[in-house]
Amino acid sequence: MNQKEKAAAINRQLSGKTAEEVLHWFLSGNAGETAFSTSLGAEDQVITHMISESRLPVRIFTLDTGRLFPETYDLIDLTSKKYGINLEIMFPDATEVEDMVRSKGINLFYESVENRKLCCQLRKIHPLKRAFAGLDAWICGLRREQSVTRKDLQLVEWDEGNGLIKVNPLIDWTEKMVWDYIRNHHVPYNKLHDQGFPSIGCQPCTRAVMQGEDVRAGRWWWENPESRECGLHKRD
Ligand code: SF4
């Protein structure tokens, strides 16, 4: 059985399980070394809470691109303290970022899709690859209804680009389910969510959305919807 088939088999095995059960299965080492990559978004805060409740040991890491909102830094601090977790913060390589900014400018991402993807590559993908060293599986908080680019996501799938099993425990959750959980369990969340930001990334590439707009309409809003992914969740 190759890795893609193995992921598909796990997907079938865990289909219908609750998010907590899926997390417990992975954090018990059934698929090897598993870590959680959090963006501190609402879904990821739900997962952090569930992991903390499970008391199972797990590496939790996040990416500091250097362009985050002040509110996101506040949430990193609050979350680490509330749950007593050692949140690993991955930074981009300073020389790579310096070279990019010198040749293309500090706000290069508004100039072209290529520039934007280069910035995401250096500030997000490269640090993420370093964080993935030694892992067999990674957990993230993607949901199908978040975006046109996420409609065919699976609960468990093979992430060919990163050579890892990818687990999306909240795959079928609705936005309402996420927020009900946050309120019922007093989960800390980014204050920008109360100001019209359903999806929060880097400050220059995120804006508030209007009521009724797609939840990811405020991310890289100047690009076509089909290209609005940073590359972290690239699929076959
Ligand atoms: Fe750069 Fe924007 Fe991507 Fe952040 S989201 S890494 S600022 S292009």
Side-chain angles (χ1 to χ4, degrees), residues 65 67 109 115-116 119-120 123-124 202 204-205 220 230:
T65 62
R67 302 296 301 254
F109 26 79
N115 278 5
R116 199 274 292 165
C119 187
C120 285
R123 291 184 187 271
K124 293 182 174 180
C202 293
C205 299
W220 307 292
C230 58

Side-chain angles (χ1 to χ4, degrees), residues 55-219:
R55 303 196 181 279
L56 289 167
V58 61
R59 260 183 73 208
I60 306 180
F61 59 83
T62 193
L63 308 176
D64 181 353
T65 62
R67 302 296 301 254
L68 301 178
F69 285 92
E71 289 85 349
T72 304
Y73 292 107
D74 289 344
L75 185 61
I76 289 173
D77 190 48
L78 179 63
T79 303
S80 304
K81 287 175 179 156
K82 176 179 168 80
Y83 295 112
I85 52 175
N86 180 19
L87 188 54
E88 277 178 47
I89 302 184
M90 305 299 298
F91 295 95
D93 180 271
T95 306
E96 281 188 347
V97 174
E98 283 170 7
D99 288 348
M100 174 183 73
V101 168
R102 270 193 209 116
S103 64
K104 294 181 181 290
I106 195 79
N107 284 342
L108 69 158
F109 26 79
Y110 297 132
E111 306 290 332
S112 65
V113 175
E114 290 69 32
N115 278 5
R116 199 274 292 165
K117 288 190 171 171
L118 174 68
C119 187
C120 285
Q121 183 80 17
L122 270 46
R123 291 184 187 271
K124 293 182 174 180
I125 309 295
H126 288 186
L128 188 72
K129 295 273 186 198
R130 276 193 288 116
F132 280 158
L135 286 185
D136 300 296
W138 67 303
I139 298 165
C140 43
L142 303 187
R143 292 185 296 111
R144 273 201 196 99
E145 71 163 27
Q146 278 170 326
S147 160
V148 291
T149 59
R150 298 180 179 179
K151 283 194 185 327
D152 59 348
L153 279 179
Q154 300 298 313
L155 170 64
V156 180
E157 58 185 17
W158 178 244
D159 176 355
E160 184 68 40
N162 293 308
L164 293 172
I165 289 174
K166 184 172 178 181
V167 194
N168 305 301
L170 307 185
I171 184 84
D172 288 325
W173 281 40
T174 62
E175 194 179 352
K176 180 177 184 311
M177 288 166 73
V178 172
W179 283 100
D180 283 350
Y181 188 98
I182 285 174
R183 291 192 186 98
N184 292 339
H185 295 83
H186 308 289
V187 177
Y189 63 90
N190 197 317
K191 294 305 166 210
L192 290 172
H193 287 309
D194 295 332
Q195 298 166 37
F197 291 79
S199 174
I200 302 163
C202 293
Q203 188 166 25
C205 299
T206 308
R207 70 173 183 183
V209 303
M210 307 288 283
Q211 200 151 18
E213 271 192 296
D214 187 279
V215 294
R216 283 178 63 83
R219 304 291 299 277

